[in-house]
Amino acid sequence: MTLVIMAAGMGSRFGGLKQIEPVGPSGEIIIDYSIYDAINAGFDKVVFIIKEENYELFKEIIGDKISSKVAVEYVFQKNDNIKEITGLNIERQKPFGTAHAILCCKDVVKENFAIINSDDFYGRDAYFKMAEFLKNNHDLNAYAMVGYHLKNTTSKNGAVKRGVCETINNELSSLIESSIAEIDGKFIATPLSGAESFELDADALVSMNMFGFTPKIFEYLENRLKSFVVENENNLEKCEYLIPEIVCEQVKNHEVKVKVLSTTSVWHGITYREDKEELVEAINNLVKSGEYPSKI
């Protein structure tokens, strides 16, 4: 099993970026805990999606630390393959989106795999639930998504972006990307599409972009990119080819089934600068309880 970590959003010098903020008692960063949990859950390869100019620095700061524990691959998210696939030369500095990032992995990922963001602390239970699915999944058209209880993913310091899940028999039926804020004791979701806001229960399931895929998704991503570029020909500087939207398209077209794996894990991250203190405290408590060693 492979864990794909989307880290192309990291800056060229990592300076001041939340992805490398020390949060553990021995200076660990969030990615350290993600990889530690993944290895313990049975993942045996890690693929980092990064910017090419960050390779040497990323390898020194992160990759070399884990290369003796797990197989490591690096993939550069560049627009070269967009021209190869669509025939268009797209000039833009910003990465083309998470679906494009995953497509960039097709030459190094030939097995079932999971994807995560580099700056989210997903929690141990999430990795074990995903690993169990990937190890036992032999259906190329079956995916998985870890679903978090909303109350376990919020920030006291402001709104957060989450995918609100609708399910039928524990399978994903729709995903509404939303900005969610707690207002007067109620959780209010405002869809990023501009649709009307709605109230959510504290235990509603939301997505944190932790998906499990089979290699067949690469074929769909490549074919869909061609029509996506045509559809956005007047917005190629800003449009984003996003994995949650692609997954929802496949579900809507009855091409795949996505099992929603409900987790008891509590998300932690640094959406706001003020979140760091809470994250550090949470990790210290997990260390005290024995879930993590004091030094990874």
Side-chain angles (χ1 to χ4, degrees):
M1 293 183 297
T2 290
L3 179 69
V4 173
I5 301 179
M6 297 183 289
M10 286 187 171
S12 59
R13 292 300 302 172
F14 295 5
L17 289 178
K18 59 185 179 180
Q19 292 98 329
I20 62 157
E21 287 277 350
V23 294
S26 299
E28 291 89 353
I29 62 178
I30 290 177
I31 287 180
D32 290 328
Y33 291 98
S34 298
I35 296 170
Y36 181 84
D37 283 338
I39 291 173
N40 280 305
F43 287 85
D44 50 18
K45 184 167 79 173
V46 175
V47 176
F48 293 109
I49 305 174
I50 59 175
K51 292 179 180 177
E52 186 172 14
E53 62 264 30
N54 289 348
Y55 171 69
E56 293 295 341
L57 190 59
F58 194 98
K59 186 172 180 290
E60 175 187 344
I61 294 176
I62 299 172
D64 286 348
K65 291 193 299 183
I66 66 165
S67 59
S68 64
K69 309 291 184 184
V70 66
V72 178
E73 296 270 8
Y74 299 91
V75 169
F76 304 138
Q77 185 174 6
K78 301 191 294 183
N79 292 338
D80 299 18
N81 59 350
I82 298 179
K83 185 176 182 180
E84 293 172 7
I85 296 167
T86 68
L88 292 176
N89 186 24
I90 297 177
E91 298 288 345
R92 66 183 245 177
Q93 295 299 315
K94 185 179 179 181
F96 207 65
T98 51
H100 174 247
I102 301 307
L103 179 56
C104 292
C105 295
K106 76 169 189 173
D107 291 334
V108 298
V109 177
K110 306 297 183 183
E111 56 284 316
N112 289 354
F113 67 101
I115 66 165
I116 62 168
N117 298 325
S118 63
D119 55 354
D120 287 316
F121 182 98
Y122 288 91
R124 174 166 297 182
D125 182 65
Y127 289 93
F128 276 81
K129 291 278 179 63
M130 180 60 76
E132 183 181 3
F133 171 83
L134 294 176
K135 280 187 287 189
N136 295 307
N137 179 40
H138 303 290
D139 182 350
L140 290 175
N141 296 312
Y143 302 162
M145 188 209 78
V146 174
Y148 286 74
H149 295 289
L150 173 60
K151 64 186 179 184
N152 291 337
T153 73
T154 57
S155 168
K156 296 177 181 178
N157 300 301
V160 292
K161 290 182 180 179
R162 302 288 182 257
V164 179
C165 305
E166 293 185 1
T167 63
I168 299 175
N169 298 325
N170 296 320
E171 290 184 356
L172 187 69
S173 58
S174 72
L175 192 63
I176 305 170
E177 293 292 331
S178 306
S179 175
I180 302 175
E182 187 173 0
I183 303 172
D184 298 328
K186 298 179 180 179
F187 291 106
I188 306 299
T190 302
L192 301 184
S193 65
E196 188 175 347
S197 299
F198 56 94
E199 185 177 346
L200 283 171
D201 185 84
D203 283 316
L205 290 181
V206 297
S207 168
M208 293 296 309
N209 241 17
M210 188 177 194
F211 287 95
F213 297 117
T214 67
K216 191 172 180 182
I217 193 172
F218 296 122
E219 179 184 341
Y220 185 85
L221 290 176
E222 191 166 291
N223 290 334
R224 181 65 179 91
L225 180 61
K226 299 172 185 177
S227 55
F228 179 84
V229 167
V230 173
E231 292 165 9
N232 292 274
E233 60 181 344
N234 296 321
N235 190 35
L236 292 177
E237 288 296 316
K238 296 182 179 180
C239 66
E240 289 194 81
Y241 191 44
L242 301 174
I243 200 67
E245 294 180 4
I246 295 303
V247 170
C248 286
E249 280 183 6
Q250 288 195 278
V251 169
K252 184 178 179 180
N253 295 334
H254 305 290
E255 295 172 316
V256 299
K257 292 183 178 181
V258 181
K259 186 174 182 180
V260 177
L261 311 172
S262 179
T263 182
T264 58
S265 288
V266 177
W267 166 88
H268 297 289
I270 311 178
T271 302
Y272 301 95
R273 177 59 57 179
E274 295 81 3
D275 291 336
K276 181 181 176 181
E277 184 178 343
E278 190 175 318
L279 171 58
V280 170
E281 181 182 359
I283 289 178
N284 281 330
N285 288 335
L286 290 169
V287 170
K288 290 177 184 176
S289 71
E291 188 157 330
Y292 297 104
S294 58
K295 185 175 183 180
I296 294 289

